[in-house]
Amino acid sequence: MFSGKKHYWWFQLIGWGGLFLIHLFFAWFYGKFDTPEDRALFFMRAVSFVIIGVILTHFMRLFIIRLHLLKHNWGIQLLNFILLSIITASICGIIEQQVYKQFELFTQREIEVLKRRGIWLVSFNNMISWFIYIFIWNAIYIIYHYAREYQQQQIDTLQLKSLVRELELKTIKSNINPHFIFNALNSIRALVDENPGRAREAITELSNILRSSITMHKTESVSLKNELDIIEDYLALEQVRFEDRLTVRYDIDSRTLEQQIPPMMLQTLVENAIKHGISRELQGGLVSIAARLKNNFIELCVRNTGTFTGEKEDSGFGLSSIRDRLKLLYPGRSGFQIHQLTPGTVEAKIELPV
């Protein structure tokens, strides 16, 4: 529970040592050190008090850890710790009484009180004092545990943001594919003489893609509409290269256009469809992009003509980066799969919480 056994024992030493000093102060203040016998009796009782407290609270801590009492909700935790404090205080009180009896640590006045009131009534009063100490110990233990847990959550959050940022930067860099740029430039060069107007459009499209790749690291999410704008520019350039071999189809639910998604994630799926699907088909094929809302999730789906090659394609950086980003951004709340939908069609699907 604590950051280490060394820290735990330091807390035990400081806590019970502080109680020892408080008892020492009041014993001196009320004049209980008049004789050597008084001083010896005080120190023997105080030492036994500290030893009992340290041992019993240590076993209580082991009990808390073993039964995972800090994993329950606040109501159950409070009830558990009150019951545990009562049980531990009762055991401490009984042990202390037996120690006092065994080593004759009762004062003459206490012996008279025991005879007059009975040992059980005195033991009950003693247990109440122990209950206060044990309950305070438990309260400090719970507060420290949650403070450490909150601190660790803050550290984990910062590390998560750092990992997400690093992963997104790697993804962005991977999307600035030099082969794509060279192919696009070659296509534009061929258009310069044949179709100057289309060549100018292609230069604008390439400029948009490069600009988005460079500036995308400044934001943690983008609207689906913005992502689709970049994808349209990318596919327009690829259609210059593939010509009639590439057909593009969109099926976008208008309600999804303003939904926020991780930048360049959908584009990665489209690039994967071109690289591992269309480019390997002699007759080319179809790339279909769909987005819809389904059960409080936004479902992004990219289908392409081709054959899913299995582990080799699935382990590529593009797809693995999608899995890593989803795991970091939406732990346990997102989904991603890629599979052979039909003998001639591959489907990649991402599900993100709305």
Side-chain angles (χ1 to χ4, degrees):
M1 295 298 171
F2 296 89
S3 59
K5 290 185 178 180
K6 183 178 179 180
H7 286 179
Y8 165 73
W9 287 112
W10 271 111
F11 275 106
Q12 285 282 64
L13 177 63
I14 293 171
W16 291 105
L19 281 175
F20 175 85
L21 293 177
I22 291 173
H23 285 182
L24 178 64
F25 170 78
F26 281 106
W28 171 80
F29 185 80
Y30 287 107
K32 294 184 178 181
F33 286 167
D34 294 337
T35 65
E37 290 77 11
D38 291 337
R39 290 192 289 271
L41 180 64
F42 167 80
F43 280 104
M44 290 180 67
R45 291 173 61 142
V47 168
S48 65
F49 166 79
V50 170
I51 292 175
I52 292 170
V54 169
I55 293 176
L56 267 295
T57 52
H58 179 67
F59 278 106
M60 183 174 65
R61 172 179 176 266
L62 296 178
F63 187 82
I64 292 171
I65 295 173
R66 181 65 61 86
L67 295 185
H68 306 289
L69 297 186
L70 290 170
K71 301 297 183 182
H72 301 289
N73 60 50
W74 271 102
I76 296 177
Q77 279 191 41
L78 181 61
L79 178 61
N80 285 337
F81 279 102
I82 290 176
L83 291 175
L84 189 61
S85 297
I86 292 173
I87 293 171
T88 306
S90 301
I91 296 173
C92 288
I94 293 172
I95 292 176
E96 187 178 52
Q97 290 286 343
Q98 294 301 315
V99 169
Y100 283 13
K101 182 178 180 181
Q102 181 69 29
F103 295 96
E104 298 181 352
L105 299 181
F106 288 113
T107 63
Q108 187 60 38
R109 180 174 175 276
E110 289 172 336
I111 293 174
E112 293 174 0
V113 172
L114 285 172
K115 291 179 179 179
R116 186 170 63 253
R117 296 185 178 180
I119 189 170
W120 291 110
L121 182 59
V122 175
S123 298
F124 178 76
N125 292 333
N126 195 31
M127 289 175 188
I128 293 177
S129 298
W130 271 109
F131 173 79
I132 295 173
Y133 295 136
I134 299 300
F135 189 80
I136 292 174
W137 191 99
N138 274 325
I140 294 173
Y141 184 81
I142 294 173
I143 292 171
Y144 186 87
H145 167 79
Y146 278 101
R148 290 289 300 175
E149 188 176 71
Y150 177 78
Q151 183 183 36
Q152 187 61 47
Q153 287 177 349
Q154 296 299 308
I155 294 173
D156 291 343
T157 300
L158 292 175
Q159 289 177 341
L160 174 62
K161 289 182 178 180
S162 176
L163 287 172
V164 169
R165 182 69 65 196
E166 181 181 354
L167 189 56
E168 287 181 344
L169 288 174
K170 288 181 179 179
T171 304
I172 290 166
K173 290 177 181 178
S174 73
N175 277 277
I176 307 176
N177 190 327
H179 295 292
F180 164 73
I181 296 174
F182 294 147
N183 290 332
L185 289 174
N186 286 330
S187 299
I188 293 170
R189 184 180 63 179
L191 287 172
V192 169
D193 295 326
E194 298 177 7
N195 191 343
R198 182 66 185 95
R200 287 193 294 271
E201 292 177 2
I203 292 173
T204 300
E205 292 162 353
L206 179 60
S207 175
N208 291 338
I209 293 172
L210 295 177
R211 186 184 299 110
S212 69
S213 297
I214 293 171
T215 60
M216 198 65 73
H217 69 280
K218 296 179 181 179
T219 180
E220 295 184 358
S221 64
V222 296
S223 67
L224 177 61
K225 183 179 183 301
N226 290 339
E227 182 86 348
L228 288 172
D229 288 341
I230 302 302
I231 290 173
E232 287 177 0
D233 288 334
Y234 168 77
L235 289 174
L237 284 173
E238 291 290 41
Q239 282 181 314
V240 173
R241 179 162 69 101
F242 288 102
E243 297 180 339
D244 295 337
R245 293 176 58 212
L246 174 60
T247 302
V248 179
R249 183 181 300 159
Y250 294 93
D251 181 16
I252 308 298
D253 186 338
S254 59
R255 297 175 299 169
T256 66
L257 291 176
E258 298 305 321
Q259 295 294 329
Q260 296 293 306
I261 65 172
M264 303 188 80
M265 185 170 286
L266 182 58
Q267 183 180 337
T268 300
L269 290 184
V270 175
E271 290 182 5
N272 189 75
I274 296 293
K275 178 180 178 182
H276 296 286
I278 305 303
S279 64
R280 295 178 179 179
E281 297 293 320
L282 294 178
Q283 302 301 320
L286 170 69
V287 172
S288 172
I289 303 169
R292 62 182 64 89
L293 291 176
K294 184 178 179 182
N295 300 327
N296 294 322
F297 283 85
I298 177 172
E299 186 180 275
L300 306 174
C301 181
V302 176
R303 295 176 181 175
N304 64 272
T305 303
T307 303
F308 183 55
T309 56
E311 294 183 0
K312 183 177 180 181
E313 182 179 340
D314 196 38
S315 61
F317 176 78
L319 299 184
S320 64
S321 70
I322 290 176
R323 288 192 175 87
D324 291 340
R325 293 170 75 191
L326 290 175
K327 183 179 179 181
L328 292 170
L329 292 169
Y330 313 101
R333 298 182 294 119
S334 63
F336 172 61
Q337 59 176 324
I338 180 170
H339 61 103
Q340 193 76 41
L341 182 65
T342 67
T345 305
V346 178
E347 180 184 72
K349 183 186 297 182
I350 295 175
E351 291 181 337
L352 304 174
V354 175

